[in-house]
Amino acid sequence: MELSAEYLREKLQRDLEAEHVEVEDTTPNRCASSFRVLVVSAKFEGKPLLQRHRLVNTCLEEELPRIHAFEQKTLTPEQWARERQK
């Protein structure tokens, strides 16, 4: 199975009960598959950054070995609302 931005978006949205997910395929700029994601989920409430990233990594544990570069930004719904007002 080939990894796609749409596949990753749907999996993150479903498994993390995310209210907003953005996935950008940045592969054209690199030599191997790479993605940049933004995940907004209430599951991140009260968790430090490392725990949030671990939740995302656990969600994608089958896919990550096939991804060369992976950037992630994880926000709570409250943080997302504040960021969008900027």
Side-chain angles (χ1 to χ4, degrees):
M1 173 198 62
E2 187 165 330
L3 292 176
S4 69
E6 183 63 21
Y7 171 82
L8 295 176
R9 188 189 67 74
E10 288 175 4
K11 185 165 187 181
L12 289 164
Q13 198 158 24
R14 179 183 64 243
D15 293 358
L16 295 176
E17 300 169 15
E19 72 174 48
H20 182 80
V21 178
E22 294 176 15
V23 179
E24 179 185 355
D25 184 347
T26 56
T27 302
N29 304 326
R30 302 204 167 98
C31 60
S33 66
S34 59
F35 295 91
R36 179 180 301 129
V37 301
L38 165 66
V39 183
V40 180
S41 174
K43 286 190 170 193
F44 299 147
E45 297 282 352
K47 290 183 174 50
L49 185 62
L50 185 58
Q51 283 184 320
R52 293 175 184 197
H53 285 196
R54 284 182 178 151
L55 284 171
V56 171
N57 292 347
T58 299
C59 174
L60 299 177
E61 66 185 329
E62 293 177 18
E63 293 79 14
L64 284 177
R66 296 183 291 157
I67 297 174
H68 177 72
F70 187 74
E71 297 175 54
Q72 59 179 296
K73 185 171 186 176
T74 52
L75 301 172
T76 64
E78 183 180 315
Q79 290 170 321
W80 174 238
R82 279 197 310 263
E83 192 159 298
R84 289 174 58 204
Q85 289 177 347
K86 291 180 183 177

